[in-house]
Amino acid sequence: MGNIKIGLEVHSQLTNLNSKLFCSCPTDYRGKEANSYICTVCMGIPGTLPVLNKKAVEDAILIALSLNSKISDKMYFFRKNYFYPDMPKNFQISQYDKAGGITLATGGYVSIPNKKVRIRRIQIEEDPARITYEGTIYKSKSSLVDYNRAGIALLEIVTEPDMESPKEARIFLQKLSSILEHLDVCHSYLEGSMRCDANISMEGGKRVEIKNISSFKEVERALNFEMTRQRNLLIKGISTKMETRHWDEIRRVTISLRIKEEEEEYRYFPEPDLVPTIITKEWVETIKDKMPELPDAHKERLIKKYELSPQNADVLVNYKLLGDFFEKCAEIYYKPGAISNWLVGDLLGYLHEKGIQLQEMKISPVHITKMLKMVDNGIISGKIAKTVLEEMIISGKMPEIIVKEKGLIRIHSDELIEQLTNKVFEENKEAVNDALEDEKAMHYLIGQVMKLTKGRADPELTNKVVRDKLIEHKKLLEKKN
Ligand code: ZN
Ligand code: MN
């Protein structure tokens, strides 16, 4: 089968800013009343002027540096003209790399296993408004528009078509989002903060673009669908058309939006209301000085300092919040191996299962370390700890409270376990006789005692009590004979 080439165009909001790209409207628009975070500037009222947000440029430069890109010493803004309700001005203030335009940065790469995905260019632009369609985009009779998002600072990162499978595209996006998370400039967990267009072409076919995919998981799905669709066409001898398609998340298919013979014509022209931005070497140097630890160095440090497995370290780096959480736990109770296993395994698994975001969970590092200490001190079993963990995540209660409320403390009392063992022996006479010869039957009896205590009986103690009881039983039988 022919080669596959995949390129991505990622739109990433700069989420760590207090105001929009060209006005002083606030940026925490999520969940707010529609069209309440707007002003004359972001609404494009004639006579108003945009003022460039300096911090946005600094955050963008930091990102470009982290992607090994070359920062331009001068950049321009352009008007990208199009007629659509998501832009009140009928143009988007963006950047352009043709017609004398220079974008923020060019070149660079992101390392993923066995390859470097090259970056073509990085540009700053304003986010359009949010449009909600009634039903689906291609059948919708009406749509709602919320301008709160219009004018939010957005970074467009365009890659070369260096990815060779949908999975590789997902791995690239994960790495990119981890880098942005480490820089603390884009929080990809915020709804719609990272959006992606993908283009895919197969040997013998034309380039197809898939627009506005909402999440990384969806990118891989959309590309997989598109790969199969194009492959089937090529097998039948039909060559794919150069077109733009829409990913329908619900039906999980791509649908043709428009066939294009050539690049769209946006009539780009220089934004006359903004002067060129001069980016001096000194300015870049002061930004470079603020460069925090990036994912690759972070992973290496976790492995060296805490002797973590590369697998666990990978997950903690991909989920930066969890990585920070891990280090706080290890500071309180130095059991890094056990802590990382609990966080990467049970905790993350439970969050995924319940669809809970990391920052939504109600627990602190103290919750985890207290729980671990209870396991290590034999107060609860590992199995019970899992129940405690899940309850902590949901309610935020401390483990000792949950254990008390639910009566989960491990039973160490010989007396109680003996009582229960007697009961089990009474009710399982046949198994008791078998157990004299057969290990399996003995484990069955132990299991019955554990079951009566809902897993709280100390397993070693239970084991001993059952064995002793069996020896006693044997002696009794021998006496009788
Ligand atoms: Zn505004
Ligand atoms: Mn764009």
Side-chain angles (χ1 to χ4, degrees), residues 9 11 80 92 94 123 125 154 156:
E9 196 179 299
H11 281 100
K80 179 181 179 178
Q92 177 192 29
S94 179
Q123 68 185 37
E125 57 191 34
L154 200 62
E156 182 181 299

Side-chain angles (χ1 to χ4, degrees), residues 12-17 30 55 59 63 176-195 216 320-321 324 357 359:
S12 179
Q13 286 183 344
L14 300 174
T15 55
N16 212 11
L17 300 173
R30 288 178 180 80
K55 172 78 164 49
D59 284 1
I63 292 172
L176 178 63
S177 117
S178 174
I179 292 171
L180 299 181
E181 204 66 58
H182 280 73
L183 297 174
D184 198 26
V185 288
C186 172
H187 303 298
S188 58
Y189 55 80
L190 292 171
E191 182 272 323
S193 64
M194 244 181 137
R195 309 187 295 273
F216 302 167
K320 167 88 178 1
L321 283 175
D324 294 344
Q357 299 264 25
Q359 65 282 358

Side-chain angles (χ1 to χ4, degrees), residues 347-360:
L347 183 128
L348 209 52
Y350 188 68
L351 293 183
H352 283 329
E353 186 193 313
K354 295 283 165 189
I356 303 170
Q357 299 264 25
L358 264 172
Q359 65 282 358
E360 286 169 353

Side-chain angles (χ1 to χ4, degrees), residues 20 22-25 37-43 150:
K20 291 184 180 180
F22 298 115
C23 64
S24 54
C25 285
Y37 281 19
I38 55 173
C39 71
T40 52
V41 176
C42 54
M43 289 302 95

Side-chain angles (χ1 to χ4, degrees), residues 131-297:
I131 294 189
T132 319
Y133 300 96
E134 188 198 16
T136 48
I137 184 172
Y138 47 98
K139 276 187 182 164
S140 183
K141 288 202 179 80
S142 70
S143 42
L144 299 166
V145 60
D146 175 8
Y147 289 107
N148 287 351
R149 200 182 74 183
I152 292 281
L154 200 62
L155 210 64
E156 182 181 299
I157 301 168
V158 183
T159 78
E160 298 290 347
D162 284 349
M163 287 148 281
E164 288 163 294
S165 69
K167 190 179 166 209
E168 220 168 61
R170 188 199 10 104
I171 292 170
F172 165 81
L173 286 169
Q174 245 161 21
K175 182 72 181 279
L176 178 63
S177 117
S178 174
I179 292 171
L180 299 181
E181 204 66 58
H182 280 73
L183 297 174
D184 198 26
V185 288
C186 172
H187 303 298
S188 58
Y189 55 80
L190 292 171
E191 182 272 323
S193 64
M194 244 181 137
R195 309 187 295 273
C196 190
D197 299 340
N199 58 69
I200 171 169
S201 61
M202 298 180 72
E203 215 172 278
K206 289 261 169 54
R207 201 177 81 128
V208 172
E209 204 178 330
I210 315 168
K211 280 277 186 200
N212 271 320
I213 315 171
S214 67
S215 72
F216 302 167
K217 222 194 273 161
E218 295 297 324
V219 171
E220 193 178 5
R221 277 189 191 139
L223 285 169
N224 269 320
F225 174 86
E226 201 40 40
M227 194 173 74
T228 312
R229 189 189 70 87
Q230 292 184 21
R231 192 168 276 169
N232 286 339
L233 284 174
L234 288 169
I235 288 170
K236 289 180 199 149
I238 308 166
S239 72
T240 52
K241 289 171 271 193
M242 185 159 162
E243 63 178 331
T244 302
R245 300 179 71 88
H246 166 76
W247 172 241
D248 183 336
E249 268 180 35
I250 295 159
R251 289 164 56 207
R252 294 199 180 164
V253 292
T254 61
I255 298 137
S256 185
L257 280 182
R258 52 183 180 269
I259 310 279
K260 48 181 183 183
E261 296 300 321
E262 50 203 303
E263 292 287 311
E264 282 118 308
E265 184 49 73
Y266 286 113
R267 294 183 297 116
Y268 278 97
F269 61 83
E271 166 60 70
D273 290 341
L274 287 163
V275 293
T277 310
I278 310 293
I279 305 169
T280 63
K281 292 236 156 30
E282 294 73 36
W283 193 22
V284 173
E285 281 308 314
T286 58
I287 295 166
K288 206 186 253 173
D289 287 343
K290 290 179 210 147
M291 183 68 70
E293 182 183 55
L294 292 175
D296 292 342

Side-chain angles (χ1 to χ4, degrees), residues 436 470-480:
L436 295 172
L470 279 174
I471 293 168
E472 217 176 280
H473 184 72
K474 200 175 181 181
K475 276 183 190 158
L476 264 173
L477 278 181
E478 280 166 1
K479 246 188 209 169
K480 264 190 199 164

